[in-house]
Each structure stands twice: as C-alpha cells, then as structure tokens.
Amino acid sequence: MIKLKTLSAIVLGSALALSLNTSFAQGQGKDDSTLLKIYRATPPKINDLVHTKLAVSFDYKKCYMYGKEWVTLHPHFYPTDTLRLDAKGMDIKEVALVKNGKNIPLKYKYDDSLSLAIQLDKVYHNNESYTIYIGYTSKPNLLKARGSAAINDAKGLYFINPDGKDKDKPIQVWTQGETESSSAWFPTIDKPEQKTTDEISMTVPSKYVTLSNGRLASQKENGNGTRTDTWVMDLPQSPYLFMMAVGDFKIYHDHWRNKPVDYYMEPKYAANAKAIFGLTPEMIEFYSKITGIDYPWNKYAQIVVRDYVSGAMENTTATLHGEFENQTKRQLLDAYYDFAASTIAHELFHQWFGDYVTCESWSNLTVNESFANFSETLWAEHKYGPDVAADQNHQDMMAYLGDPEAATKDLVRFHYADKEDVFDDVTYQKGGRILGMLRNYLGNDAFYKGLNIYLKTNAFKNGEAQQLRLALEEASGRDLNWFFNEWYYGAGHPIFDISYKWDEAAKKETVYIAQNQKWQIFKIPMAIDVYAGGKKERHKVWIDGKADTLTFDVASKPDLVNVDGDKIILCQKKDNKTLDEFAFQYANAPLYMDRFEAIDAAQSKQSEKAGQKIILSALNDKYYGLRIKAIKALKMNNNDIHDAALPILTKLAKTDGNTLVRAAALTALGKLKDPAYMDLYKQAINSQSYAIQGAALTAINQLDTAQALQLALGFKKDNMAQLTQAMIAVFAANGSDASWDFVNHKFTDADVNGKFGMIRSYCSMVSKVKSPAYAQQGIAEIKKLGIKYKIFGGVGPFIVGQLNNIKEARAKMNDDASARAAADAAKEVNDAK
C-alpha cells in the first residue's frame, strides 16, 4: 500500500506538504491517550480459513452487491462449536451448514452489523473441516467506515460513476481490502494472520472486463447481456488481499519468463501501457534474483482505476493503482523516477513481502511496508544508479524527520489507538531507511541471504520482526538484538552534533560526536573517511555514548573528515565543517548526499567565494536533482552569483537533457522579469514537455499578463500537470468569469495531488469571480476537500484559512451570500470529525 500522504507531500513541496506529513494521530480525539495504552495482541486463532468461494453480481442502480459464499474452515487447535466472521454493513439472508450437498440452517446473531456469530451443528476438532453457506447483500455506500492517513475510506467495495452521468468518467467497480475492509463485501475472518485459497465468480455486463486474484478459469455468456467470469486462486492469501475490478479496460499482454504480466488500462490510455508499466518484467527478474525466490505466483497484473482511495494496493497477483498512473506520452516526458514509477516498484515487491509472507498482525506491519518502501531505493539503485537511489532515500528520511510525532513511535508498535495509525512515516519511510542501514552493516550478500531465509521459512504464512532478525542472524552469524532493540522496538533517532580539532604538533585529528536527542542513546557502527595528502583513508568505528571522542593519526591536516562516509544513518545532524571543507567535499567525496550537504551549506553563504564555488559547480552536477537544487538555491541579487550563473542558467534552459532542469532554469530566469529572455520563453512555450511549458507560461506572465492570458486560453484543449497549474494561476490572477468553467472542471476532476497542487490558485479565483454562483460552487468544493482530507493534521487549518480569506474578499465585493457560505464552510471543516 502506498500512502496518500506521501503522494500529497510530493506534489506540494511546501509548508502545507510538511503539515500533511504530520502524524494521523494528531487529528484524533482526546480519548486516544487512553487507547494508546491498550496492548494490541495478535488476535487468537479459534478457526482457520481454508477456502473461500464467492458468487457475486452487482446492482449498479442501488450500488449493492448480491453475494453467495461457501467458506470452508477448521478449528485452529482447540475444539469449538462456534464461528465468528467479520461482516460489515450487510443484509444477511441465510446462514447454513453445507452437508451432503444440502444446506442445513444454522442459528446466528448479527451484532451491530459488524460481526456474524454462528452456532455450529456440533463441536468440531482441528482435524475436521466444515463449510458454511452465507447468502448476503453488501451495501457499501450505507456503511459508515473511517479511513486513515494511508487509505482515506474503508467501505471495501466501490461503485464509480454507476449511473454513467459523468461522461468524462468510466463506470467501474473495484475493491479495497486493507486493512480490514474485505469483510464489507464478503464475510470472513478479516485478519492478516488468516490465509485462504479462493474462487470468485463475478456476473457482470458482457461489455466489461474483470480482474481478480489468480487465474481466469472460465467465462460463461449468460444470454441476457451478462457474463460470468470465474477466477481461481490456488495458493493461500490473506483476506485483505482479495480483489475484484470490473469496467471498460483494455489489456496489454506482457510476460516474465513463461508467466503472464498484464496491464489493464482505460482505452484512452492503453496505447501508453508499455511505456508506463513496461519495466515490470525486468523488476520481477531483479527482485527474484536478490531474494533468491522466483516470483511465486501464476501471473502479475496491474490495473488503473478511477477515484481510488489510496495510492496503490498490492492485491496478490493483481495490483490496483490510482489514476496517477494514467499518463500520456507528453506527461511521460517529465516522468523520471517519480512517484508513479516508484509505486510500481513498491507494489511489486509486496508480492514477496506482504503477500508471500504477510505480517502476522498490524503491529508488525513493518515486515510488509518497510520492505516495499526500501524496494523503491533498491530498484532505483539497480536501474538508474546510486544518485537516484540516494535521492529517494533522502526524501524518505526527510518525510519521517518532518513529522515531530514520528520520533515518539516504535517501528514495531504494540500500542496504538487504531490499526490504521500504523500506516505512517515510521512504518514506511523510517522502516525503509532502517533496512538500508541493515544492508550497509551486514553487506549485500549476508543481507539478501537473510531475506531468502525469512521468505523460505515463512512462505505462504505470516512473519514478524523477530523472525526477520533470526533469519538475518542465521545468514550473517552476527547478533542483531542490539539493532532491533534500538530501531524496531525503540523510538526516535540520533541527533548528532559533530565537531573537529586538529593538533598540528601531535599530527592527530579528533572528532567529537555528541548525541543530543531526548530519547535513547544509539549504538551505531559507521564509517569515517579522512581525506589528507591527496588520499582517502576509511576508519570503521562504533559510537555508543552521549558523547564520543575519536582520534586519528594523520600525516598532515586533513582537507576533510567525512563522518558517516556512506551517508546511510537515519539521523539529524549539525556538522560543524568549514565552508572550505564543504567545498572540498562537493568536489571530492563521491556520493549524492556529500554533494547535497555541500549545496545546503553554501545556500546561505553565497557572498563567500567557497559558497559561490559550490553553487556554481552544482549547476552542472551530473545528477539532475542536484542541478535543480542548485538552481533553486541561487541568490540572483548577489552580483557575483548573478553574473556567473546567468550564462549557465540560459544554457540549461535551452539545452539541458532533462525537462525538469530546463523548467527550473526557466522559472529562475522568469523571476528576473527581464524582457531580454522573452524570445527564450516563447520558444519554450512550444515544447512538448508540460513542465517546460508551465515554466515558460509563468515567466511570460511575469512580463506580459495579457499575452500570458491569450496563451493560456490557447492551451485549453491540451494541458496537464505543471502546465495546467500555470494556466490556473494565470486565470486566477488575470482571468474573467469566462475562465471559471475550465478552472473549476480541472480542479474537480483532479486527483488529490492535482487538487492540492492548484488549491491556492483555485482559492484565489474563487475570491475574485464576479458571479456569486461560481464563488459558492468553489466554496463547496474547497469545503469538501477540507473535510475529506482533514485526517491529515495540517489540512484542516490550511483550508479554514483559505475559506476565511475568501470570506473577507467576498465581503469586500458586497457578496454577503458567498461570504456567509465561506464562513459556514470554514465552521463545517473545523467541526468535522
């Protein structure tokens, strides 16, 4: 599962993004402090699922699903004459024991429309299986279910545009099981510790395509405009991994070795399926190689749906993606190793870590999600090189560090208010970084051998962090209790203060490392690289105290002492190097983070020669991400920087091979508001890259608002991503009510990332339109967004602030009705639970 909050933060890249990275717990009620004291034990196994057979059909008018279920179970160990199944918001029609081909009615109680308690016909022992038949109706739209920071809804079954009224949106049905929402569309023991084979028969309109777990065993035309597709999953999986999808999809058939690899997409995006998903077979090969476990399932399919409630979901053999994966050829020009690409890697790795071996409880979600997060870095390193991987890794660490509540939470979490709370930046980003530290400490061979042992030992079963520890210890021969106690069963991270002292007489370099965090003191192995006399010498050391002093014999004063030479430790740090040392680090230390740290150090010191040297060198860095960072860091009001950077910026804007670098350079030039570059912007406005076009349009708007408005009007038929956002900013600043339909349509049709990407411009236009009807239409959309995503701590206050600004603007226009609507909307967002 990819988190929505990660998705939103990537788009925003601002203070709002940081607020979105605040923990879900911040948005909870006062009772959470009590709930957090409850120990969340793994649920006891009374009965075990064996096989689940479903026959379902859909009522698109009512948004109901009519289901028949035959579920086979046996007692786990102790004899029992009762069965309890999770069944949320259903009408239960019949419960019976299937015996000798007949249904024998059983007594049952349906508690609070959540749990189905069944009295069996006798006491069963664990060597006896029994099959229960249940006839039921699922009513997902009537179910009141709370989502989370990872999954913003929890009703399990979703009807998208079922009446077909929205001509721009296809009719679809799809499911979302994690965490425990599969029981909203079929009764089951909805816990990750359960495993079951299954067979799902879907009766659907004949014009539609279906997808589910496993293999398509049969298709039967029913002669009434419907068809019944039966999907069979022969290997066991947890109930939350069950999936169905129905709709108008085209299938691109690919393969890995002799196994089908298929991509299901809406017809208008299907031509790009290979461009979007085509690296999947290579990913499967790579993950099979490093784990030592060949992809264990019979097929792998990926499907892109509308209005998805999260980022993506790793259903066994059939990953479901949100519509951000729907990309055109032009969008793909700006898509490097972005969120969409890394999500494909993330969800695929779950087929091993999460599906093949599943966390035994949500407390141990780390053995699912931390691995999937880490896999994004592994694939980046393999396919695109160490700089891309380190960039990914650093973004993850900063997402974790940007959440002040995260440092108080253990990675393995036995105490939480709600199971949904575990889907956070500790489990994902921090957990992924921790696995990177483990790999660095053990070495690739031992680390991957340990993963192989873990997977083989727990295949088609459940795992937890202790089993991972034992597997890595078996592989490496090293004790890892200390590591797991610190990083898995403890909270926080080191906060280093690093300083240096050179003794010329003694020829000794002393490094002082203080740990200033308020939580535990960490025991950490690290590399310290000493650069002196044209050579680098590596020292492998351990630190384990509140303050450690390390002394090294060096023939001459070092040019640089680089603490954490591998730049792998999850930490905050104050590194008291001189700017000259950072300049040496940029030029001589090899890693992405070496150069990143130097650019950071130079950003506020561009009046100094060493700072200028770093920033100007970084404009030509080999990695596009650092070229962009240097462009954004430029202080063009400094004459030395301005004169030296201008020709480089101009060249980057014209010829850089990376569209995002060209866009960043155009943006930097645009801020100068120099008419001399208008021809450059006019050339760039014809680019096929939306990023370049968006930057060029913004730059033109700085010089000639009327021309920018005309250009924006001309792009109405073909615009996406950065160009759309630039157009909406132009319309918000300069447009009339005639642009409202376009702006409002783009906003309402956007996914969560698109909405937050354009929210400020949208709010600005709502403040300015002359029509009260348009203003109130916009206020309603803003309110809806605020209520839906208030679950992210900073969204509520941000949206309320925007609505208050709109209220004041409408009041100045004597539009009292819209001002009242904005005030009421702000109150509703504030009051929303």
Side-chain angles (χ1 to χ4, degrees), residues 223-513:
N224 60 356
T226 68
R227 187 187 71 251
T228 299
D229 290 357
T230 298
W231 293 82
V232 174
M233 185 69 180
D234 296 316
L235 296 171
Q237 61 172 336
S238 295
Y240 78 88
L241 296 166
F242 280 41
M243 75 84 69
M244 300 186 299
V246 183
D248 182 13
F249 298 101
K250 284 194 174 182
I251 309 170
Y252 184 97
H253 297 289
D254 209 338
H255 69 279
W256 172 75
R257 299 184 187 175
N258 62 342
K259 294 185 178 183
V261 176
D262 296 329
Y263 318 131
Y264 291 65
M265 303 194 75
E266 291 176 35
K268 70 176 180 178
Y269 295 103
N272 298 321
K274 182 72 171 177
I276 295 166
F277 292 112
L279 290 176
T280 302
E282 186 180 344
M283 289 182 186
I284 297 175
E285 184 67 30
F286 172 63
Y287 289 154
S288 296
K289 181 179 179 181
I290 64 172
T291 60
I293 304 289
D294 284 349
Y295 179 76
W297 312 102
N298 70 301
K299 71 138 195 292
Y300 188 56
Q302 295 176 88
I303 188 167
V304 184
V305 301
R306 293 292 192 99
D307 296 350
Y308 186 47
V309 293
S310 187
M313 180 63 207
E314 66 275 10
N315 310 298
T316 315
T317 76
T319 287
L320 192 149
H321 290 280
E323 61 199 85
F324 60 89
E325 296 287 2
N326 281 334
Q327 297 181 82
T328 66
K329 287 183 179 180
R330 292 191 62 189
Q331 284 178 287
L332 290 168
L333 291 174
D334 301 322
Y336 297 90
Y337 193 56
D338 60 1
F339 181 80
S342 63
T343 296
I344 294 169
H346 178 115
E347 302 304 332
L348 174 60
F349 206 56
H350 268 310
Q351 299 296 317
W352 287 264
F353 291 90
D355 298 3
Y356 187 63
V357 180
T358 307
C359 62
E360 54 85 36
S361 71
W362 302 120
S363 293
N364 273 277
L365 183 64
T366 177
V367 298
N368 290 13
E369 293 299 348
S370 299
F371 273 105
N373 181 274
F374 181 50
S375 76
E376 300 170 35
T377 297
L378 293 177
W379 172 249
E381 180 181 270
H382 169 76
K383 184 65 178 176
Y384 304 108
D387 283 351
V388 180
D391 188 355
Q392 180 79 22
N393 204 350
H394 180 67
Q395 288 181 45
D396 285 344
M397 184 175 76
M398 295 310 294
Y400 159 74
L401 293 176
D403 175 1
E405 293 293 318
T408 67
K409 302 172 185 176
D410 297 347
L411 180 56
V412 177
R413 212 166 315 156
F414 293 108
H415 299 84
Y416 51 79
D418 189 282
K419 62 187 180 302
E420 307 295 340
D421 301 351
V422 187
F423 291 77
D424 62 7
D425 38 33
V426 176
T427 297
Y428 285 74
Q429 287 94 335
K430 182 182 183 182
R433 180 84 177 200
I434 287 169
L435 287 169
M437 291 193 293
L438 257 180
R439 181 177 68 141
N440 180 263
Y441 172 63
L442 296 175
N444 278 351
D445 290 346
F447 179 75
Y448 290 132
K449 183 180 179 182
L451 300 194
N452 177 264
I453 293 169
Y454 170 79
L455 290 169
K456 282 184 175 178
T457 302
N458 304 293
F460 303 111
K461 296 186 294 186
N462 298 91
E464 58 176 87
Q466 293 290 16
Q467 290 163 302
L468 175 64
R469 175 183 62 81
L470 292 170
L472 291 167
E473 287 182 342
E474 181 181 340
S476 67
R478 294 180 178 178
D479 173 73
L480 293 172
N481 272 296
W482 65 272
F483 186 96
F484 276 73
N485 287 342
E486 283 183 354
W487 293 106
Y488 278 79
Y489 300 101
H493 55 272
I495 299 177
F496 292 135
D497 191 317
I498 307 167
S499 56
Y500 310 88
K501 180 182 178 183
W502 170 247
D503 186 330
E504 178 65 31
K507 301 295 183 183
K508 292 184 183 294
E509 176 75 16
T510 302
V511 180
Y512 304 94
I513 304 177

Side-chain angles (χ1 to χ4, degrees), residues 488-666:
Y488 278 79
Y489 300 101
H493 55 272
I495 299 177
F496 292 135
D497 191 317
I498 307 167
S499 56
Y500 310 88
K501 180 182 178 183
W502 170 247
D503 186 330
E504 178 65 31
K507 301 295 183 183
K508 292 184 183 294
E509 176 75 16
T510 302
V511 180
Y512 304 94
I513 304 177
Q515 295 192 49
N516 292 334
Q517 64 273 12
K518 60 186 177 183
W519 38 82
Q520 62 172 316
I521 298 299
F522 288 81
K523 173 183 177 182
I524 299 174
M526 69 165 64
I528 296 181
D529 294 333
V530 178
Y531 292 76
K535 297 180 180 179
K536 179 182 83 172
E537 185 174 356
R538 169 156 289 196
H539 302 270
K540 292 188 175 181
V541 303
W542 288 77
I543 61 167
D544 57 7
K546 181 74 174 172
D548 286 283
T549 302
L550 305 165
T551 303
F552 306 102
D553 294 320
V554 190
S556 60
K557 187 179 187 306
D559 297 298
L560 172 70
V561 177
N562 202 7
V563 174
D564 184 19
D566 290 327
K567 296 294 182 280
I568 195 67
I569 298 169
L570 191 160
C571 65
Q572 292 171 277
K573 65 180 178 181
K574 180 183 178 184
D575 196 346
N576 296 287
K577 294 188 180 91
T578 66
L579 195 57
D580 285 332
E581 287 169 334
F582 274 117
F584 184 93
Q585 179 173 309
Y586 181 86
N588 295 278
L591 301 180
Y592 166 86
M593 283 306 303
D594 292 318
R595 284 135 51 215
F596 183 101
E597 289 175 356
I599 297 169
D600 258 3
Q603 189 165 348
S604 62
K605 298 181 179 180
Q606 294 182 42
S607 60
E608 300 180 33
K609 292 298 182 184
Q612 294 172 13
K613 181 180 179 181
I614 293 169
I615 295 294
L616 293 171
S617 296
L619 290 175
N620 291 307
D621 194 278
K622 63 180 181 177
Y623 178 52
Y624 76 88
L626 291 182
R627 296 201 296 280
I628 293 171
K629 181 176 176 64
I631 291 168
K632 291 180 176 180
L634 284 170
K635 294 189 181 301
M636 297 296 281
N637 57 349
N638 178 294
N639 290 334
D640 291 336
I641 286 286
H642 178 278
D643 294 345
L646 206 53
I648 304 173
L649 267 183
T650 305
K651 183 179 179 181
L652 292 174
K654 290 178 177 179
T655 63
D656 197 278
N658 184 285
T659 60
L660 302 182
V661 173
R662 289 185 63 192
L666 287 164

Side-chain angles (χ1 to χ4, degrees), residues 30 32 37 479 546 683 685 751:
K30 295 179 181 179
D32 280 7
K37 297 176 183 177
D479 173 73
K546 181 74 174 172
Q683 291 173 15
I685 205 74
D751 63 12

